[in-house]
Amino acid sequence: MVVHSIEVTVNGEPRQIAIPPSMTLLRLLRESLALTGTKNGCAAGECGACTVLLNGEPVNSCMVLAVECDGAQIVTVEGLAQDSRLDPVQQAIIDAGGVQCGFCTPGILISSRALLDRNPEPSEEDIREALVGNLCRCTGYLRIIEAVRLAAQTY
Amino acid sequence: MAIDTHPSLPEFEYIRPATLSEASEFLANHATEARPFLGGTDVFVRMRDGALAPRFLVDVKHLDGTGDLHFDPRSGLIIGAAVNMNRVIASPDVQAHYPLLAQACRTVASYQLRTRATIVGNLCNASPAGDTIGACLAFDAHLHIHGVSGPREEPLSSFFLGPGRTVLKPGDIVTAIQFPLPPAGCTGVYLKLGRNRLSDLSIVGVTALGGPDAACPSGYRFRLALASVAPVPFVPAAAEAYLAGNALSTETIHQAACLAAEACTPIDDVRGGARYRKQMVRNLSERALLTIWKTLAAQPAA
Ligand SMILES: Cc1cc2nc3c(=O)[nH]c(=O)nc-3n(C[C@H](O)[C@H](O)[C@H](O)COP(=O)(O)OP(=O)(O)OC[C@H]3O[C@@H](n4cnc5c(N)ncnc54)[C@H](O)[C@@H]3O)c2cc1C
Ligand code: FES
Ligand code: FES
């Protein structure tokens, strides 16, 4: 089997990695780089637990091949905080009580962060639409939506 | 028995051809073993399910012209194969001239999936439920295709052969979709009935587009396209002809909606029964046409 060598910047750190073509970005992050904040919920594009930023835009990392990320910039949940200061969406989801088991939280944080980057003043409808691809089995979503609204105010 | 709920992708080789000619040649030479892909949101799922096992996946996202999105006030809109749906939705030209297309894209899956999913992938996948197919049919789009004997163009109206089947031959790569200028004064709507309000595959999808047209006895020309109620999305021609030939009224619209429902050949599946689907086609077609009629009536006469 052909092995590809790719260069990818993950959370600001350049990496050179050899990978098989069938490896997804999700597996690259979790298994090769031990960045296990990004979760594997369905491996099928449905749940959003694996959401990361690829060149600034959110993607389901289970639906992207690692080999396609040669030269790309990736941000995972581990890359949201700056110098031990939480990102506003992280602080807000704590303050709003939007975390229960926490499995969906990394994906929710990335999707929310991406929403606020493209639309700093989202309506409730905008927030709901942006989080359609992030399933949460615990919270009932209301506190998550509240958290994004809160984060928008502190941006 | 252990059930693997997170199956990995089966092994394959990743091919990234440098040119369209190289890509067509490779695909033609490995007709049964190679598959082109764009966002991979259909291909990867089917590979994981074991429904597809290509030896070569051929990435065509970087090839000539596939990244363009361009509107020309004389010739219309061209969207490269690799342009993802979020880019289509955000395009001011699409919003200004083809809002129906943006509306249809917004019903597909989720924001993060649409960072990858493309309109051309949606068309080539030829699913009966493809949400953007109706808008592309309604605007009379055609496809730019690169094959082993070079580039050619084909109308979308004769592109689909059946579920998952198109006229594409080994070596053919769709490079772009082109939309003529929209009919003057037209307005459109896509009504998607899913199990939830956003993000699910459609049980029924109704696309309607209408505008003034002096050449039609009724003074209006309507386009209709129906998804998830036949082997592939299709245009109910009898309903369109009825709307063109009869003065617009709530009764005309009701009759046209009944004709649309009659033209369907839906199946029973997990998402809905055939009888239910037919009734929903009638109801949603009627609702879509009434919405458009109301919008057109409120516009100042041209
Ligand atoms: C979780 C999830 C939710 C979804 N929800 C929806 C939904 O709501 N509505 C909907 O319509 N679809 C939905 N889909 C299906 C899919 O996302 C869409 O059909 C999408 O538009 C496919 O685009 P793609 O670029 O990812 O295609 P790919 O997977 O890359 O390709 C699709 C098909 O086209 C062929 N192909 C790709 N590029 C070319 C080319 N240039 N020339 C010739 N053939 C080509 C491939 O071989 C393949 O058969 C969903 C998928 C997932 C995983
Ligand atoms: S693990 Fe990727 S969407 Fe569920
Ligand atoms: S907090 Fe448990 S899935 Fe969201």
Side-chain angles (χ1 to χ4, degrees):
Chain A
M1 186 184 43
V2 187
V3 171
H4 297 260
S5 173
I6 61 164
E7 275 183 41
V8 47
T9 303
V10 182
N11 299 329
E13 211 179 307
R15 309 270 200 154
Q16 183 140 25
I17 314 161
I19 45 139
S22 61
M23 178 174 264
T24 59
L25 174 58
L26 174 62
R27 283 185 48 218
L28 171 80
L29 294 169
R30 289 183 55 85
E31 295 167 24
S32 301
L33 302 180
L35 290 169
T36 52
T38 304
K39 302 301 179 203
N40 184 356
C42 67
E46 306 264 359
C47 76
C50 67
T51 306
V52 301
L53 299 181
L54 169 59
N55 296 326
E57 283 292 321
V59 292
N60 306 93
S61 62
C62 68
M63 299 292 285
V64 175
L65 301 178
V67 53
E68 293 179 89
C69 299
D70 193 17
Q73 299 271 346
I74 311 289
V75 175
T76 70
V77 69
E78 290 92 342
L80 284 183
Q82 301 293 334
D83 299 332
S84 78
R85 261 198 58 215
L86 293 181
D87 186 276
V89 292
Q90 293 175 303
Q91 190 59 56
I93 207 163
I94 297 169
D95 294 345
V99 180
Q100 287 187 24
C101 81
F103 194 82
C104 69
T105 312
I108 300 256
L109 290 172
I110 294 286
S111 284
S112 306
R113 174 61 194 253
L115 167 68
L116 295 178
D117 284 348
R118 64 179 184 269
N119 176 5
E121 289 173 38
S123 65
E124 175 169 341
E125 187 59 28
D126 295 335
I127 298 171
R128 285 179 180 270
E129 199 178 328
L131 295 179
V132 150
N134 293 88
L135 303 184
C136 175
R137 297 294 78 177
C138 304
T139 66
Y141 300 103
L142 291 181
R143 286 167 182 236
I144 292 172
I145 292 161
E146 184 51 36
V148 182
R149 220 198 325 248
L150 206 65
Q153 286 162 10
T154 55
Y155 242 88
Chain B
M1 186 183 71
I3 297 172
D4 187 358
T5 50
H6 298 131
S8 299
L9 284 173
E11 282 182 14
F12 58 86
E13 282 180 48
Y14 173 79
I15 309 289
R16 198 168 187 277
T19 63
L20 277 168
S21 308
E22 200 183 295
S24 286
E25 203 175 310
F26 187 92
L27 286 164
N29 288 343
H30 301 86
T32 56
E33 298 179 314
R35 205 164 244 279
F37 81 103
L38 291 162
T41 60
D42 280 311
V43 172
F44 299 160
V45 169
R46 288 175 65 206
M47 286 170 67
R48 231 164 230 155
D49 293 349
L52 263 186
R55 192 172 143 210
F56 304 102
L57 272 190
V58 182
D59 196 341
V60 295
K61 283 192 283 296
H62 55 287
L63 296 173
D64 253 11
T66 58
D68 300 344
L69 192 163
H70 181 72
F71 177 72
D72 181 310
R74 276 154 310 161
S75 57
L77 175 73
I78 184 150
I79 301 179
V83 174
N84 71 47
M85 291 192 191
N86 285 337
R87 236 184 105 194
V88 173
I89 294 167
S91 155
D93 287 325
V94 174
Q95 287 169 14
H97 305 288
Y98 307 87
L100 171 63
L101 185 62
Q103 194 203 349
C105 287
R106 275 177 75 152
T107 71
V108 173
S110 59
Y111 187 93
Q112 56 268 57
L113 203 87
R114 294 194 300 266
T115 308
R116 297 277 294 173
T118 62
I119 291 178
V120 166
N122 200 230
L123 298 173
C124 292
N125 195 51
S127 155
D131 278 311
T132 68
I133 300 176
C136 296
L137 286 169
F139 283 121
D140 280 322
H142 68 270
L143 300 173
H144 293 234
I145 299 168
H146 190 281
V148 276
S149 46
R152 65 177 197 276
E153 298 184 10
E154 292 207 15
L156 188 65
S157 53
S158 51
F159 181 68
F160 301 109
L161 298 178
R165 291 195 308 124
T166 68
V167 299
L168 294 178
K169 301 210 176 41
D172 282 352
I173 297 160
V174 178
T175 55
I177 175 165
Q178 183 163 3
F179 300 82
L181 287 177
C186 74
T187 175
V189 51
Y190 180 53
L191 297 181
K192 171 175 174 175
L193 178 69
R195 285 171 300 188
N196 49 29
R197 197 163 56 83
L198 290 158
S199 88
D200 195 23
L201 290 181
S202 69
I203 300 167
V204 165
V206 173
T207 307
L209 183 74
D213 188 339
C216 293
S218 75
Y220 293 95
R221 196 165 113 83
F222 281 87
R223 302 303 317 267
L224 272 173
L226 309 174
S228 291
V229 287
V232 281
F234 76 104
V235 170
E240 286 190 351
Y242 192 82
L243 288 162
N246 293 276
L248 268 196
S249 67
T250 49
E251 183 51 27
T252 303
I253 284 177
H254 180 73
Q255 281 307 327
C258 291
L259 288 170
E262 270 170 41
C264 301
T265 50
I267 55 165
D268 293 306
D269 73 6
V270 288
R271 280 177 284 133
R275 206 171 72 89
Y276 173 70
R277 283 190 152 111
K278 271 201 173 203
Q279 287 178 2
M280 288 306 112
V281 166
R282 191 194 61 208
N283 292 358
L284 294 180
S285 298
E286 187 162 355
R287 193 182 300 168
L289 293 167
L290 285 171
T291 305
I292 291 174
W293 186 30
K294 219 192 256 171
T295 312
L296 291 174
Q299 279 173 4

